[in-house]
């Protein structure tokens, strides 16, 4: 059923296959995001067949603001990742496959994981996923390819509520529970990461903790469950719930730890996250650059461009999201424009036409 939902997304939105000439750093939509630690985010696709009611990136068939989706080229992504790992110069890199969609639906996932695992310096391959899309054989392939850990997005074990929160009538949480047991048998560690929606899944959070502890999630230093606080995002889908303060959230987590006798937090040290050299930012805010517009960006009114000149290096080359009137599409695409950089945090570039 999820494939039909993906077909629906492809029917209503432009799907852009990222080609080999496109730099892999500069956007949240695909490629690599480096936040200056030993965890490198690897983003293969923006496609997602679900429409979770709280989705911070407004993905899926019910997205209200997307006008394009991206599927990255696996070889280009791997080559870029290898260069970034070499740049960081540390041997305990975690490659974390995630993104503005569901990486589990990426058509080249097995090859991607196999390729990541072969890069010298990468010690862990992890992936954020909802898991429902895999058959048992496919999960075995992922384990053989080298997937070490699944960060499981799961918000309820109640089939009806799980369907409601995921925005998909076919979402089957019982199948996911079976796949989790198989993943553990195959030696893949699993950590559940539910989003706490106050007033909607309070009891479900407790049930998830009990289930996760019983089946053996979170081996080693990792807790079985790492609960996420619901934070409404400007361009994401919003749920009408009372928003917890951070203080209230952490107090509730501590209470749950005491009541259930389960560790629900972990320090960066326990998660093996530490600082590691960050890619240089070649373009400061305020810089005026020449950009070749290559396609739509993910959100309506955004375009994707390559900052010129290209040097054929991940250390230097960047893509940029350019804000412009959507009606200018036919004038902009394939043309060169002048752009002023207005944002560049973590090497994610946003610019405005000059
Ligand atoms: S929260 Fe994740 S699974 Fe749900 S719609 Fe958004 S991207 Fe898809």
């Amino acid at each position: 059923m999820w494939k039909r939902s993906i077909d629906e997304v492809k029917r209503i939105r432009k799907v852009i296959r990222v080609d080999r000439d496109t730099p892999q750093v500069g956007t949240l939509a695909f490629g690599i995001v480096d936040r200056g630690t030993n965890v490198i985010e690897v983003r293969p696709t923006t496609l997602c067949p679900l429409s979770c009611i709280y989705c911070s990136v407004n993905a899926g068939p019910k997205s209200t603001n997307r006008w394009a989706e991206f599927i990255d080229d696996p070889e280009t992504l791997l080559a870029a990742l290898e260069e970034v790992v070499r740049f960081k110069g540390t041997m305990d890199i975690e490659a974390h496959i995630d993104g503005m969609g569901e990486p589990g639906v990426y058509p080249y996932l097995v090859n991607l994981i196999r390729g990541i695992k072969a890069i010298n310096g990468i010690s862990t391959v992890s992936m954020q996923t909802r898991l429902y899309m895999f058959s048992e054989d496919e999960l075995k392939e992922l384990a053989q390819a080298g997937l070490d850990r699944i960060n499981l997005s799961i918000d309820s074990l109640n089939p009806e509520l799980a369907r409601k929160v995921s925005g998909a009538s076919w979402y089957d949480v019982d199948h996911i529970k079976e796949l989790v047991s198989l993943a553990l048998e195959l030696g893949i560690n699993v950590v559940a990461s539910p989003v706490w929606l106050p007033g909607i899944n309070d009891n479900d959070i407790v049930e998830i903790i009990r289930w996760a502890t019983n089946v053996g999630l979170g081996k080693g230093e990792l807790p079985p469950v790492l609960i996420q606080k619901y934070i409404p995002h400007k361009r994401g889908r919003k749920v009408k719930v009372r928003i917890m303060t951070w203080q209230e959230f952490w107090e509730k987590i501590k209470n749950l730890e005491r009541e259930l006798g389960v560790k629900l937090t972990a320090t960066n040290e326990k998660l093996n996250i530490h600082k590691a050299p960050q890619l240089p930012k070649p373009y400061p805010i305020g810089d005026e650059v020449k950009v070749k517009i290559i396609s739509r960006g993910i959100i309506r009114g955004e375009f994707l461009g390559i900052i010129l000149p290209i040097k054929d290096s991940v250390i230097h080359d960047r893509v940029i999201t350019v804000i412009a009137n959507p009606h200018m599409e036919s004038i902009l695409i394939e043309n060169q424009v002048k752009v002023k950089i207005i944002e560049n945090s973590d090497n994610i570039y946003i610019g405005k036409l000059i």
Side-chain angles (χ1 to χ4, degrees), residues 58-104:
N58 217 322
K62 295 181 191 156
S63 176
T64 49
N65 57 11
R66 290 189 179 193
W67 71 339
E69 303 284 352
F70 292 86
I71 302 175
D72 206 353
D73 173 68
E75 297 306 322
T76 313
L77 186 50
L78 283 168
L81 178 63
E82 190 162 13
E83 213 181 324
V84 177
V85 172
R86 222 176 315 138
F87 171 84
K88 288 200 175 266
T90 167
M91 294 304 286
D92 65 343
I93 298 282
E94 174 175 338
H96 181 59
I97 308 170
D98 67 352
M100 295 177 77
E102 167 57 77

Side-chain angles (χ1 to χ4, degrees), residues 48 50-52 54-57 59-60 100-102 130 237:
C48 182
L50 296 185
S51 293
C52 301
Y54 61 81
C55 180
S56 63
V57 293
M100 295 177 77
E102 167 57 77
R130 288 192 178 262
R237 281 190 284 271

Side-chain angles (χ1 to χ4, degrees), residues 37-39 92 94 267-275:
T37 73
N38 63 322
V39 179
D92 65 343
E94 174 175 338
T267 59
N268 277 351
E269 200 185 341
K270 298 271 184 215
L271 297 170
N272 189 34
I273 300 175
H274 59 81
K275 283 190 177 165

